[in-house]
Amino acid sequence: MARVMAGVGGVAAGTMVANICGYLIHLPAARWLSESSYGEFAVLLQTMLVLGVPALALQVVIAREVVHGRPIADLVSITIRTAAAVLGAAVIAVPIVMWIADTGLASTIAAFATAPLLVLISAGQGILQGRQQFSLLSWVLAGVGAARTVPGIVVIAVGGSAAGALAATAVGAAVSAAGVWVAVSRTGSEPDRHPGTRAIALTMVLRASQVQLVLIALSSVDLLLSRPVLGEQDAGVYALGTIATKAAFWLPQAIGVVLFPQFADTARSSAALRTAVGWLLAIAVTVVGGAAILAPLAPVLVGDEYRAVVPILWIFALTGSALSILQVGLLAAIARDQTLIAALSWLVLVVEVVIIVAWAHSITTLALTAAGCAVIGTALTLVALRFSTSMTRRRLSGSRTVDA
């Protein structure tokens, strides 16, 4: 337990540094770039979240396969194939994004050049995660976060354009990828326990990608639809509330990272999931209560026009907390290779969109819709995981009986 807590603390610190770096680059960009250049810069960074989904999926797939003793050659092979697939998708996406988002050619290419590099970075992090080398992983997370953002900030500070800043970010990602794999190579490797007769298929990454994608969609669909259903002014107020959602969602992320190797271990999976959910529920109570108590400070910090969010800030925190538990549940589904469970989350997403469009036309009703769907989606996922575990145990028990 002490090792797990130390791992959670270290990974939380590394993740926090990386997230701060990710948000920090927006400050100089908004200040020193023109409005049109910053708009282009922000849109391309947001688009990168979608292209980054395969990288997130690959990390957990590789972590799972490391736990199962997969040979390093298989891990390198799937990394190269995934990077090539993402590169191809990025090339196809360039003209599409330029047309839809009205971005420039140089800026779009510079931004999307980062996509295959993220695959290389995440693969290395997945190996460290699967080996449970959390102290090193925490330093890698922080280092990657800094290396990906500092060059872009420097370029903006000296008067560079959005394209130049995005190109510098890509260079930082390349340096990060090299550094991550140097760290992996110097940590040695566990003896291969897997026969390695079946190559890791790209379909594994695709199945994990749709799980990661639905989580991103559930965490952002309310904000994306806020402008058309609320109007520009109320959407701005709602956007402030979603800061609490994001904070509650990302704050306990390290728990899933550290316990994921146990999720992938059949003997410890159920106990690890119960432990993770228990910790997250305790954090949720604290975060939601804290949001309710501290909400009156919001108008003082950001202006009286945001006073409407004060009585409902705890609802946004509840949404983020529920999504953090859902994230752990979906990670457990990936670890067990039961990604079909994510279909429940996709169904909830569709229902949420319908409710928002048909009914949620105020700040409060939109917040309640997002929170309700997050809670329901989380409960359905945990119930499905429990049912799946029970069915697996029955099959194993029946198999032993037949063998006897």
Side-chain angles (χ1 to χ4, degrees):
M1 181 62 70
R3 181 185 178 187
V4 171
M5 293 303 294
V8 169
V11 172
T15 302
M16 186 176 298
V17 170
N19 287 336
I20 289 174
C21 288
Y23 288 114
L24 185 63
I25 195 170
H26 285 273
L27 298 179
R31 183 179 180 85
W32 292 325
L33 293 175
S34 67
E35 289 184 359
S36 60
S37 293
Y38 175 65
E40 179 182 53
F41 181 81
V43 165
L44 288 172
L45 286 183
Q46 188 70 20
T47 306
M48 278 302 302
L49 289 178
V50 178
L51 280 176
V53 166
L56 295 174
L58 181 65
Q59 177 170 337
V60 293
V61 168
I62 282 187
R64 180 187 69 200
E65 297 302 315
V66 168
V67 172
H68 294 164
R70 178 74 69 166
I72 190 68
D74 285 358
L75 306 180
V76 172
S77 174
I78 190 61
T79 299
I80 294 173
R81 284 182 285 143
T82 303
V86 169
L87 177 59
V91 170
I92 295 172
V94 166
I96 297 174
V97 172
M98 288 176 60
W99 175 61
I100 294 175
D102 193 24
T103 57
L105 176 62
S107 298
T108 308
I109 291 176
F112 289 4
T114 306
L117 298 171
L118 294 180
V119 172
L120 301 179
I121 292 169
S122 294
Q125 291 176 170
I127 293 175
L128 297 177
Q129 183 182 358
R131 292 176 179 172
Q132 303 186 56
Q133 295 171 324
F134 297 122
S135 176
L136 179 57
L137 179 59
S138 64
W139 285 102
V140 165
L141 290 170
V144 168
R148 287 183 56 199
T149 54
V150 171
I153 293 174
V154 171
V155 168
I156 294 172
V158 299
S161 63
L166 291 167
T169 299
V171 172
V175 172
S176 299
V180 169
W181 280 92
V182 168
V184 169
S185 65
R186 291 186 176 180
T187 58
S189 60
E190 297 295 328
D192 296 334
R193 300 182 302 276
H194 195 287
T197 55
R198 183 172 62 94
I200 307 176
L202 278 175
T203 52
M204 290 185 181
V205 180
L206 289 174
R207 291 199 301 269
S209 293
Q210 60 89 15
V211 177
Q212 298 283 1
L213 184 59
V214 73
L215 187 63
I216 291 175
L218 282 170
S219 66
S220 58
V221 66
D222 58 327
L223 182 59
L224 292 175
L225 294 176
S226 62
R227 287 177 70 87
V229 300
L230 298 181
E232 292 185 6
Q233 185 173 349
D234 282 353
V237 176
Y238 190 86
L240 177 70
T242 60
I243 294 176
T245 300
K246 293 176 181 177
F249 178 48
W250 290 111
L251 179 66
Q253 185 183 25
I255 292 175
V257 173
V258 171
L259 289 179
F260 184 84
Q262 296 185 33
F263 295 161
D265 186 337
T266 305
R268 298 188 293 173
S269 180
S270 297
L273 182 58
R274 287 194 299 270
T275 298
V277 171
W279 287 353
L280 290 171
L281 284 173
I283 294 172
V285 171
T286 304
V287 169
V288 173
I293 293 171
L294 298 176
L297 294 177
V300 177
L301 296 175
V302 296
D304 198 58
E305 61 269 27
Y306 293 99
R307 187 168 296 279
V309 84
V310 170
I312 60 172
L313 192 64
W314 67 272
I315 300 178
F316 290 96
L318 174 62
T319 302
S321 297
L323 290 173
S324 71
I325 300 174
L326 175 61
Q327 181 181 44
V328 161
L330 292 177
L331 284 174
I334 295 174
R336 300 173 181 181
D337 202 15
Q338 297 171 340
T339 51
L340 187 60
I341 287 175
L344 295 170
S345 295
W346 283 109
L347 177 61
V348 169
L349 176 64
V350 172
V351 171
E352 181 174 356
V353 171
V354 171
I355 293 175
I356 288 174
V357 173
W359 176 71
H361 295 158
S362 71
I363 295 173
T364 299
T365 54
L366 181 55
L368 286 171
T369 300
C373 290
V375 170
I376 292 172
T378 300
L380 288 174
T381 297
L382 294 180
V383 169
L385 283 168
R386 186 176 181 84
F387 177 77
S388 176
T389 300
S390 176
M391 293 298 294
T392 300
R393 287 176 177 171
R394 288 180 182 177
R395 285 197 302 268
L396 291 175
S397 177
S399 176
R400 294 192 191 99
T401 303
V402 171
D403 291 341

